[in-house]
Every structure is written in structure tokens, then in C-alpha cells.
Amino acid sequence: MVTYRPFGQTGVRISSLTLGAMNFGQRGNPDHEDGVRIIHRALDEGINAIDTADVYSGGESEEIVGKALAGGRRDDVFLATKFHGQVGDNPQHRGNSRRWIVRAVENSLRRLGTDWIDLYQAHRPEPDTDFDETLGALTDLVRQGKIRYIGTSTFDPSAIVEGQWIAQRRGRERVVSEQPPYSILARGIEREVLPVAQRYGLAVIPWSPLAGGWLSGRYHSGLTAPISGRADRLPARFDPTLPANAAKLTAVDELAALADEAGLSLIHLAIAFVLEHPAVTSAIIGPRTLAHLESQLGAAKVTLSEDVLARIDAIVPPGTTLNPADAGYQPQWLTDPAYRRGGGSSARRIGVAS
């Protein structure tokens, strides 16, 4: 049975597990009826929070969630979705600008079949867009009653603090939550993101507590090739022959042995670890099948001993992300050389001919 935790300082309480809907639709499980069954099963087990995004299967995930919540289930669900990534083929249908946000929210409301979204999140930062532009648009949506709260996902700690500063100094609605990547294999947010969230009273709803499947029990030493379509698309994160991923395999083997000693499945160990951190509100689980959901539900009842937590720290030290590609976001000033060059670099950054 799940427990319920305060969602930051909002007064709302959500389940310790949030149902992530990324795997519903063509990029995961294309069977809408099966997706609805999975969602209903999660709700019946006490999960009251669902997280999706407009880019998940091009909006199809939102449509499936909308179908599942029709017929009277919507009112009891804390419903979260996200904007930022490109939806469809039009390159203008993306970003954190006011122009796109006011259109994106209407599209999400229509697909979800609802009049309001509880938590509307910026899916990633967009350094070339003034954060005040984004928060100004989101503030208007709160005041119009179309969204209840504002959140971010995979933001650096400096950007999280900037959002709080903008709200205070410029009269914007405050960001109340952050959704970062967090697992035993990707512990980088322990350095600053989680302490910053605690300092400002933000809810934290981590994604990928199973490290993209690495902690699901499917990965083990001796693996020589990716084992899923997502792995094929993202070799930097999943190719077991790369040194950073080989280090993950070694850690997974040790963690599997530890879970066995503790009488737990590796899945339960991994999710329970995320829930142990005092800054974490709810861990997002992303089942593709009903069997996946059933294998994860019990993690909400698991409490890890100090000995087990200490042994996890010995396998993957606090604050360590074994593969930097698992951080979820790399700032443009690291990935784009134009941000590190003088003499016209600003023109290159915004796509202006020099």
C-alpha cells in the first residue's frame, strides 16, 4: 500500500509512487485499452499522481491518460504533464516561450480531456529564453485556472534558485517542484539539487528510479549488446561495451547480490532507495505492462536498513553518476562550442547569419 507525502509546501499530499505515462503509446505500449487497465490498476492500489508529457508518443500518452480518467476518475488524481520538446514536425512547436506555452497547454488540456492540469512542468531548461518569459506565461495560466502549480524537470540548481528569485522579485507564481533523474546509478542530484529543493521547500518527484531499466534485473555482467529499442536509440546510455556503462554493469551485479541478501527484488531495492532520501516526495515509475506495474508497486512498503544503505553507498558513492549521459541534461554552453567562443558567438547561438 502506498503512503502519502506532502507535495512541497502546497498543502497537497500525493502518493509515494507516481505513475509515469511515458511508455503509453507508440513508443512503448500502443494498446490504448491496456494502458487504461494499467492506469486503473495503479489508481485502485492508491496511486493518486500521474505524470505525462506532450512529447510522449507525440501526445498519444496524454490521450490514453485522458481516456483512463474519463467517467469520474479525474477529480481524485493529481495530474501532471510537461511542455518544451518538439511536438510533431513543425520546429516552431516547441520551447519555453509564451507563444508556445499558451498553445501547448490548450493542446494538452484537449488530449487529457480536462479543464485543468494540476502540475504543468517545463520539461527542460531553455537558456536562450528568459526564464521570466516562461514564468510570466505560466503565472497567467495559473490565474486563468488552467493550471494549478508550476514545476520544472531536470533543471540545474542555479536555475532552480533563479526561478525562486524571479517569483519573489517580479511577482510571478512560484515553482513548487522539480523532477530530476535519480537512481542508485545516477546520484548526481544529491550534491546540490536535493539540498536546494529542501532549502526552498520544493517537492521532488524523481524520474527513472530504475535507471532506464538497468535496475530492473534485465542487465547483468557478460552483456555485450543493447537489449531494447530505446537502448538502440541511446547507445551512450545503454551500450554495455562503453566504459561508463561497463561500470554500471559491475555495480548492478553487486546491487543484485545485495538485494538478494536483503530478501528483496532488485526493483524494490532501487525504488526504495530513492524514496529513502528525505527530499524526495514521490518516485515516478514507468511501467509498459501490467506485469511491470505489479513488480514495482510493493516498493512503496519497503524500508531499507542503515546497513543496506551503507552498502549501497560503498557500491556507488553519494553524489556519483557513473555515466554522465544519465544526467538527463547537459547545458548548451558545454555541448555547443558557439557558447564558448568570442566574436559573433551570440549571433550563432540564436541562429542569426553572421
Side-chain angles (χ1 to χ4, degrees), residues 17 23 39 41 57 71 74 115 137-138 143 152 154-155 161-162 208 223 233 235 266-267 291 294 302 318 326 345:
L17 297 179
N23 285 320
I39 294 169
R41 173 66 175 148
S57 293
R74 169 67 186 95
D115 293 327
L138 294 171
R143 294 172 183 174
T152 56
T154 322
F155 272 47
V161 173
E162 182 185 3
S208 202
L223 201 65
R233 294 191 302 271
L266 181 57
I267 288 173
E294 298 289 356
V302 174
D326 292 330
S345 62

Side-chain angles (χ1 to χ4, degrees), residues 196-274:
V196 164
Q198 288 178 293
R199 187 173 305 129
Y200 287 95
L202 304 185
V204 178
I205 47 174
W207 56 269
S208 202
L210 298 182
W214 282 86
L215 298 172
S216 68
R218 299 177 67 195
Y219 285 79
H220 52 80
S221 60
L223 201 65
T224 59
I227 59 176
S228 69
R230 179 170 56 173
D232 288 333
R233 294 191 302 271
L234 301 169
R237 294 183 59 197
F238 292 98
D239 184 346
T241 66
L242 298 178
N245 292 330
K248 286 157 61 173
L249 281 179
T250 299
V252 167
D253 284 346
E254 295 181 32
L255 291 166
L258 174 58
D260 189 57
E261 286 183 40
L264 299 171
S265 69
L266 181 57
I267 288 173
H268 283 189
L269 177 80
I271 297 174
F273 167 82
V274 169

